[in-house]
Amino acid sequence: MAFTKFILAFALIGLSQAQIECPADGCISTDVALLKTGNTQATNHYYIGAMFNVHEEGDDAYTCGEISQRGLVNSEAFFWAIKTYSERAGLTNNVDPVSVGGFVMDSCGRVEKSIEDVYSFLTCRTQYTNVSPRNTVAVVGASTSAQSMATAKLLNDMEVTQVSSTSTSPALSNDMYEYFLRTVPSDALQAVIMAKLMQYKSIRFVQVLYEDNAYGEGLLLAFKKAIEDEEDEDVCITAQSQFTMNARGAEYIKTMLSGPKDTKFVLILGTNTAARFVLETVETETELKNQFIFVGTSSWGTDLDVIRGLDSAENAITFSFDTNSYMNNGDVTAFYNNMFLMEPDNGKNLDDPTVNMYNPWFTQYWQTAFGCSFEAGTCDLPNQRLEDKIGRDDPYVPFTLMAVDAIIRGVKSAAQAKCGDIHVCSNLLNPDRSRGTDLFNYIKNSTNSNGQRFFSVNGDASSVYGNFMVHQVKSGAYYDVLEYRDSVSENYGFNAGNRPAMVTFSSSCPNNPCLQCGDKQTTTEVPETTTTVPVVRTLPPLSTEELLSQMINKYFEDDQEFTGVWRDQERMSKDSSTRFENGYDWIIALGVCAGLGLVCVLVFEIYILYKLMGTKIGKQWRTMWLGQLLLFGLFCSYLTLFAYLFTPTKATCGITRFGVGVSYAMCFAILLVKLMVLLTSKTSADTLLPGDVDSPNYLRGIYQFLMFLFVVGVQVVIAVQWLIQVPPDAVQVKSNTGDLVWICNHYTWSLNNSWDDMTTFVRTDFENHLISLSYIMFLILLTTIIAMKAHGIITNHRESVFIGIAAGFSVPVWVAWGLVGGLNKDHKYAEEFGDASIAFGLFITATLVLFSMFLPKVRQLVNMGVEGIYLEDDRDTYYGGSVVMAPPSYKSRPSSVVYVNGGNGYNDPVIIGDQHSVHLRHPGSNYSAPVYVKRPGSTLGHSGKVLQVTGDLTGKHPTRESKKSMSEAGYAYAGSGYGTYRKSQSEMGGTLKRSTSTSNIGAL
């Protein structure tokens, strides 16, 4: 359906190219059956196009299935009608004759191909030999109602008349299809006749199986309207079910029919192939075979292929159009006689006038029907008779003949009015001459040789074609049992005559009173007795949908809501593959992003371990486990995204429901614990003694771990409870476009509506998944608020700032993907928006956390010297710039010299890296800094002292001075012997208070 909408939208762009002469150097297609005109002069010829399902639908969008007998027969009827009616209209025996040609495009049973064929031809993207859109006056078709609805919208925009001989859906009577006509009666009339037959035979209770397409749904609506309009003896539907021609549809059929078999009459509202599918399904079930009388539509008619070899078809009742009462009945007979005399093109009989040279599919059908090959020389034409393979009973041939007859008569009348004779002049065919409206009106108002109109006022078939025959199957053959005349009121319009009597069964409701039909329960008073018999109340067995429905109606409210659905649905091969194979292109980007995320996590982990292993810091796992857990949480986040790449299954639905929330919880739980460590690492001490000294309030490792478990455990409990209450599964439902799609089952639906229709869901699976993440929203907001409170703490390289960035920016990300998924619940691709929003939301949030938290760590590791100090930690503090290194850098020597501001200049050099020195660690930091000491007995004088460390390095801002001094801007100790050192721009602006004695050297 997505492709259908795209083609329709794209068609509007090419309207200006329609109905013009195509360029002579265009690409000529041979995938067409073409009856060429006798000449190519512009005013002396025109073409009629046609769309038929010459082949059945293939296994995929690029192939066609087996050849269709109905499609082939109606194609041949189309060509025969062009030759016959153009001659009968006096076009070919004129002094200056007008030649009429025709071409058939094979739609292969697909709506999309019907649109593509018509649009490509009318815009010159596809060309046929000597056929131009300008000289194509109308199109016959399409074969099915769904195809006609789609092409009618396109042809309506292009102002091209469309006449269908096979599309019967009542929906096509809508005024929106302005240029659509049909010669076949609407199903609205056939539904009325079905309802009248039930009343005529006193059959009140029926079951209904309807095909899941425009034809089946249109018939169902028409039948329901017909039984509602009848006031005397109403007909009631005790059970109904839609079906598709696949394994899932077969299960629906068996489920409905396996219930109580009291209702014997089953209406099959579908095509002839759908009727065959139902009968074959019933044939495989011993308990169902010969239990019902099936009632079929005119599409089934008297088609022997539907009932051949099936005992379950015994006593089936079908309808067909009474073509014997039509004016063209003689033409139908003449057509079949002509077709049965024709021979296929075997490449050797080109001069034979009976050889079919214009329809390549005629030769293909011949080889298929007789199981031979002209190439292999196994076909025996003299002894092969087409009449042995094709009957004379196709119900739509009369209407195909009528469609062509109406077009030829209408175009002739239009030419005489616009051009003065039978020739098709520019005044008629040019697009700027009201061409579309003129041709449509003349075709619509055309009449047959008896003066009867082909079409009614609204474009449907004329009421004179509303006569039907009723047949019943007996011993593998059809017998006429009734005739119906719309003009007769007696016996509901039916007349048995001398025909065999119709066999019927008693058909009743499974319940008494019939709850399905709205019958009320009657109550009577029971006289008191001296003994009391205990009443045992048992629930009905849940073996069928009917009994389940009865129990639900009895024990639940009408508007009761349920979350979760569990169905045993068979999957096709494409349903067990990736979403990409089903047209979901966005998963390519998701897969690439998830893979890159995993690679980044692994690269960060390897680099950090490489830099820290073997160092003192690397051995202190108490200071590293939070970072490692955060990387693991991010790894799980990216790994969960891969579950979205596949078509939903029980496993992937469970993984996404559990994995998304828990991955979020792990990441933000770690960030929350880190913030608590930073907040509890403040100390009131002004000096840190050598060693690993913490704040008295420092949150110790065991409590960090317990806090992490508690924060994550809440989300784990939520996810597990949800999985238990609504076990994960994948179900196939009808999307907002009407297509069948697989989604996870955690949506909410109401008893008032269907569980498998997304348009009626109370809450979608996306909305319920978002609700399950409410705790994660709370965690993100809490982390953001605490990070704002801790933003002034510089401990651990200002980690609180980066946590605030990660959490703060996650809030708008969540708002964005939540709105995208929630506001598009009614979009035609709502199921894609929901899954894509959750998946990309998780990816963006995880990536934000990854780069916010670990890119600064990598920078610190890169710039950290061999001694483990990262001098930029204090650059922007109150005492920033107090330490000046003497070149060469301390990184290149085992013992490096720095100078500390003291008095009017810099004091004696201070040595870094002495073997007796110990390390001081910032509270809560993963990294330690060496103590700055003066070398004992230094030749530079004075004894070694421990440098005084102010509160700035303990995580507290000083309050005594607010401005930085420029005193240390660029000087070196004159007696150092290392020459003059000029501080870089980034190191200028220090604020160290000048020391007046060696006992108060100042802060680092």
Side-chain angles (χ1 to χ4, degrees):
M1 289 300 293
F3 180 74
T4 302
K5 301 295 185 183
F6 169 76
I7 289 295
L8 285 174
F10 188 63
L12 298 178
I13 303 174
L15 291 180
S16 60
Q17 303 180 36
Q19 303 170 355
I20 59 175
E21 293 290 348
C22 297
D25 58 348
C27 179
I28 303 298
S29 173
T30 58
D31 186 23
V32 66
L34 178 61
L35 177 64
K36 297 180 181 179
T37 58
N39 61 61
T40 58
Q41 296 182 18
T43 61
N44 288 68
H45 83 285
Y46 66 83
Y47 279 90
I48 303 173
M51 300 173 287
F52 291 115
N53 290 332
V54 183
H55 290 84
E56 302 289 353
E57 183 176 341
D59 294 333
D60 53 57
Y62 308 101
T63 59
C64 295
E66 297 180 354
I67 195 165
S68 166
Q69 178 176 300
R70 175 164 292 173
L72 178 77
V73 170
N74 281 276
S75 297
E76 288 299 316
F78 169 77
F79 289 124
W80 182 88
I82 289 176
K83 292 183 288 186
T84 301
Y85 294 136
S86 62
E87 180 179 353
R88 194 175 294 176
L91 302 181
T92 59
N93 52 7
N94 192 279
V95 177
D96 191 9
V98 174
S99 180
V100 183
F103 59 93
V104 172
M105 298 172 287
D106 182 10
S107 301
C108 294
R110 289 190 175 273
V111 173
E112 298 85 355
K113 194 172 188 303
S114 303
I115 299 173
E116 182 182 7
D117 288 343
V118 172
Y119 175 72
S120 297
F121 169 72
L122 292 178
T123 56
C124 298
R125 297 173 188 271
T126 298
Q127 298 183 32
Y128 308 124
T129 305
N130 296 326
V131 182
S132 71
R134 179 180 181 274
N135 280 63
T136 301
V137 296
V139 177
V140 175
S143 292
T144 68
S145 296
Q147 290 171 320
S148 289
M149 287 180 186
T151 54
K153 293 179 182 178
L154 177 60
L155 294 174
N156 183 72
D157 293 332
M158 292 185 167
E159 297 184 348
V160 175
T161 302
Q162 177 181 359
V163 184
S164 178
S165 59
T166 56
S167 300
T168 58
S169 173
L172 285 165
S173 300
N174 196 305
D175 292 338
M176 66 181 295
Y177 306 115
E178 185 179 350
Y179 285 83
F180 179 81
L181 302 169
R182 56 179 164 189
T183 53
V184 62
S186 169
D187 286 334
L189 174 60
Q190 192 170 171
V192 170
I193 299 172
M194 282 186 171
K196 286 184 176 181
L197 177 64
M198 298 298 107
Q199 294 176 334
Y200 175 59
K201 288 298 181 179
S202 300
I203 301 168
R204 184 187 176 199
F205 302 104
V206 297
Q207 300 184 73
V208 176
L209 289 167
Y210 65 97
E211 193 173 4
D212 187 16
N213 56 25
Y215 179 64
E217 292 173 356
L219 264 173
L220 176 66
L221 293 176
F223 181 74
K224 285 185 173 181
K225 184 177 186 303
I227 61 179
E228 289 173 359
D229 291 344
E230 297 295 334
E231 298 179 356
D232 296 336
E233 299 178 41
D234 58 321
V235 176
C236 174
I237 300 175
T238 61
Q240 69 179 51
S241 177
Q242 68 177 14
F243 69 93
T244 51
M245 287 182 284
N246 54 29
R248 182 190 182 195
E251 288 301 317
Y252 280 7
I253 294 169
K254 288 186 282 188
T255 299
M256 191 189 84
L257 298 181
S258 295
K261 302 177 179 61
D262 304 84
T263 306
K264 297 296 184 181
F265 280 82
V266 180
L267 274 59
I268 304 178
L269 306 182
T271 62
N272 56 337
T273 53
R276 174 76 184 187
F277 178 80
V278 173
L279 295 176
E280 288 178 338
T281 301
V282 174
E283 190 80 9
T284 61
E285 301 293 321
T286 304
E287 63 174 11
L288 300 180
K289 189 163 62 173
N290 300 324
Q291 296 294 318
F292 305 98
I293 292 180
F294 294 98
V295 182
T297 67
S298 59
S299 180
W300 177 348
T302 56
D303 190 346
L304 288 173
D305 288 337
V306 176
I307 64 173
R308 184 173 285 115
L310 299 177
D311 294 336
S312 56
E314 187 69 13
N315 295 319
I317 299 170
T318 65
F319 297 84
S320 68
F321 304 106
D322 186 8
T323 56
N324 291 327
S325 64
Y326 296 170
M327 288 295 299
N328 68 349
N329 182 49
D331 291 341
V332 173
T333 302
F335 156 68
Y336 278 113
N337 291 339
N338 178 79
M339 183 178 68
F340 292 147
L341 292 175
M342 298 184 69
E343 293 185 356
D345 175 17
N346 63 359
K348 301 178 182 179
N349 52 359
L350 303 183
D351 297 330
D352 191 337
T354 62
V355 175
N356 190 329
M357 301 294 296
Y358 49 81
N359 190 350
W361 300 309
F362 185 86
T363 302
Q364 180 188 354
Y365 176 82
W366 190 287
Q367 295 178 100
T368 301
F370 291 101
C372 64
S373 170
F374 288 117
E375 184 178 355
T378 57
C379 292
D380 184 12
L381 289 181
N383 296 315
Q384 292 173 341
R385 298 174 67 249
L386 190 61
E387 193 169 3
D388 295 336
K389 301 296 182 180
I390 299 178
R392 294 173 176 261
D393 53 0
D394 189 277
Y396 298 111
V397 165
F399 305 111
T400 299
L401 300 182
M402 290 182 198
V404 176
D405 194 9
I407 292 172
I408 290 177
R409 290 176 182 272
V411 173
K412 179 181 177 181
S413 298
Q416 290 172 335
K418 294 290 182 178
C419 306
D421 54 25
I422 62 174
H423 297 90
V424 285
C425 61
S426 298
N427 195 35
L428 174 62
L429 295 184
N430 282 356
D432 59 348
R433 301 282 186 175
S434 66
R435 158 205 171 104
T437 304
D438 291 337
L439 286 173
F440 174 79
N441 287 331
Y442 279 101
I443 293 173
K444 178 181 177 181
N445 294 320
S446 61
T447 58
N448 60 21
S449 58
N450 198 34
Q452 296 175 329
R453 292 187 53 159
F454 290 100
F455 310 102
S456 62
V457 176
N458 67 346
D460 281 339
S462 175
S463 59
V464 298
Y465 304 111
N467 298 331
F468 283 79
M469 293 298 299
V470 182
H471 315 279
Q472 189 162 40
V473 177
K474 298 181 184 295
S475 303
Y478 293 96
Y479 292 88
D480 297 343
V481 291
L482 292 171
E483 66 176 10
Y484 172 82
R485 294 293 180 264
D486 186 56
S487 58
V488 179
S489 59
E490 185 179 1
N491 294 327
Y492 297 95
F494 294 99
N495 179 27
N498 296 322
R499 300 177 181 88
M502 177 185 291
V503 176
T504 61
F505 296 160
S506 175
S507 185
S508 60
C509 182
N511 308 294
N512 187 18
C514 190
L515 302 178
Q516 292 88 336
C517 299
D519 292 353
K520 302 298 183 181
Q521 177 75 48
T522 59
T523 59
T524 58
E525 284 192 17
V526 181
E528 286 189 18
T529 59
T530 56
T531 59
T532 303
V533 179
V535 177
V536 180
R537 184 181 184 185
T538 60
L539 293 178
L542 304 181
S543 58
T544 66
E545 286 191 355
E546 291 79 12
L547 292 179
L548 178 59
S549 176
Q550 179 182 348
M551 188 198 75
I552 289 175
N553 291 333
K554 187 172 183 179
Y555 295 102
F556 295 96
E557 299 293 334
D558 291 340
D559 58 350
Q560 181 75 40
E561 296 178 0
F562 295 92
T563 297
V565 171
W566 299 269
R567 301 284 298 184
D568 185 14
Q569 298 171 318
E570 185 172 346
R571 286 175 174 261
M572 308 297 287
S573 58
K574 65 177 183 179
D575 296 331
S576 301
S577 57
T578 63
R579 296 185 190 228
F580 176 73
E581 296 178 18
N582 292 317
Y584 295 175
D585 296 338
W586 58 268
I587 69 162
I588 299 178
L590 180 65
V592 172
C593 291
L596 290 175
L598 289 177
V599 172
C600 289
V601 170
L602 294 176
V603 168
F604 275 125
E605 175 67 10
I606 293 172
Y607 182 77
I608 289 174
L609 294 179
Y610 169 75
K611 292 291 289 185
L612 298 182
M613 282 303 167
T615 68
K616 182 177 180 181
I617 303 173
K619 298 176 182 179
Q620 294 177 347
W621 284 96
R622 183 169 68 88
T623 64
M624 294 180 61
W625 74 273
L626 286 174
Q628 296 299 303
L629 265 183
L630 181 56
L631 280 175
F632 179 71
L634 295 172
F635 185 84
C636 293
S637 299
Y638 292 124
L639 205 59
T640 301
L641 295 178
F642 285 97
Y644 285 99
L645 304 185
F646 301 93
T647 302
T649 62
K650 180 181 297 186
T652 60
C653 289
I655 291 172
T656 54
R657 284 169 56 185
F658 183 84
V660 171
V662 173
S663 297
Y664 272 126
M666 291 179 63
C667 294
F668 286 96
I670 293 295
L671 298 184
L672 197 58
V673 172
K674 279 178 170 286
L675 286 173
M676 298 308 298
V677 170
L678 294 177
L679 289 173
T680 59
S681 296
K682 293 183 179 181
T683 178
S684 59
D686 290 334
T687 304
L688 290 178
L689 298 176
D692 213 14
V693 180
D694 292 327
S695 164
N697 299 319
Y698 178 74
L699 187 66
R700 299 189 178 277
I702 184 63
Y703 300 116
Q704 296 176 26
F705 184 69
L706 290 176
M707 181 179 178
F708 168 77
L709 288 183
F710 175 77
V711 175
V712 175
V714 173
Q715 180 60 34
V716 171
V717 170
I718 293 173
V720 171
Q721 179 195 23
W722 194 25
L723 292 175
I724 294 174
Q725 290 184 332
V726 185
D729 202 354
V731 293
Q732 194 174 38
V733 301
K734 187 185 297 183
S735 69
N736 291 337
T737 62
D739 295 332
L740 293 178
V741 296
W742 287 92
I743 65 172
C744 293
N745 68 331
H746 51 272
Y747 56 85
T748 302
W749 57 283
S750 171
L751 281 180
N752 290 334
N753 301 298
S754 173
W755 63 267
D756 61 350
D757 188 349
M758 287 185 62
T759 60
T760 63
F761 287 173
V762 178
R763 288 190 303 275
T764 64
D765 53 328
F766 168 80
E767 291 173 317
N768 281 341
H769 201 161
L770 186 60
I771 292 173
S772 74
L773 299 176
S774 300
Y775 173 68
I776 303 301
M777 303 179 202
F778 167 75
L779 276 185
I780 295 176
L781 292 175
L782 181 63
T783 304
T784 304
I785 294 172
I786 297 178
M788 293 172 62
K789 178 177 177 59
H791 78 283
I793 301 176
I794 67 169
T795 302
N796 208 11
H797 314 302
R798 303 170 186 81
E799 192 171 41
S800 61
V801 175
F802 302 114
I803 295 176
I805 292 174
F809 281 98
S810 295
V811 175
V813 170
W814 267 63
V815 172
W817 69 258
L819 289 176
V820 170
L823 296 179
N824 286 284
K825 63 176 295 185
D826 297 323
H827 193 275
K828 57 184 178 180
Y829 305 126
E831 70 281 0
E832 294 187 45
F833 273 100
D835 287 348
S837 297
I838 296 175
F840 282 106
L842 177 59
F843 167 75
I844 295 173
T845 305
T847 304
L848 181 62
V849 173
L850 176 66
F851 286 96
S852 297
M853 297 303 298
F854 288 97
L855 272 185
K857 298 294 184 186
V858 172
R859 182 170 178 267
Q860 292 156 12
L861 289 173
V862 170
N863 289 279
M864 186 179 293
V866 295
E867 302 295 340
I869 185 172
Y870 179 51
L871 294 178
E872 290 192 15
D873 277 347
D874 303 304
R875 175 174 297 166
D876 298 326
T877 67
Y878 182 85
Y879 298 106
S882 298
V883 178
V884 181
M885 294 190 308
S889 170
Y890 68 85
K891 298 179 183 179
S892 61
R893 294 190 174 191
S895 295
S896 301
V897 181
V898 298
Y899 298 89
V900 182
N901 188 339
N904 295 326
Y906 283 89
N907 287 334
D908 296 340
V910 179
I911 308 303
I912 298 178
D914 185 77
Q915 59 182 348
H916 301 296
S917 66
V918 294
H919 288 72
L920 294 178
R921 185 179 64 81
H922 290 258
S925 173
N926 291 339
Y927 311 108
S928 300
V931 175
Y932 293 87
V933 298
K934 293 181 64 176
R935 179 174 297 177
S938 171
T939 58
L940 299 175
H942 307 293
S943 60
K945 295 181 180 290
V946 176
L947 295 182
Q948 185 75 13
V949 180
T950 68
D952 190 47
L953 289 183
T954 69
K956 299 191 299 182
H957 287 290
T959 58
R960 47 190 173 184
E961 295 189 43
S962 59
K963 294 185 178 181
K964 292 185 177 182
S965 168
M966 299 296 295
S967 59
E968 317 98 46
Y971 302 97
Y973 178 63
S976 65
Y978 288 103
T980 302
Y981 169 58
R982 180 75 177 177
K983 294 175 67 176
S984 66
Q985 183 67 27
S986 64
E987 293 173 319
M988 296 176 68
T991 60
L992 182 66
K993 179 180 178 182
R994 294 184 179 273
S995 177
T996 57
S997 68
T998 58
S999 63
N1000 184 13
I1001 298 178
L1004 289 181

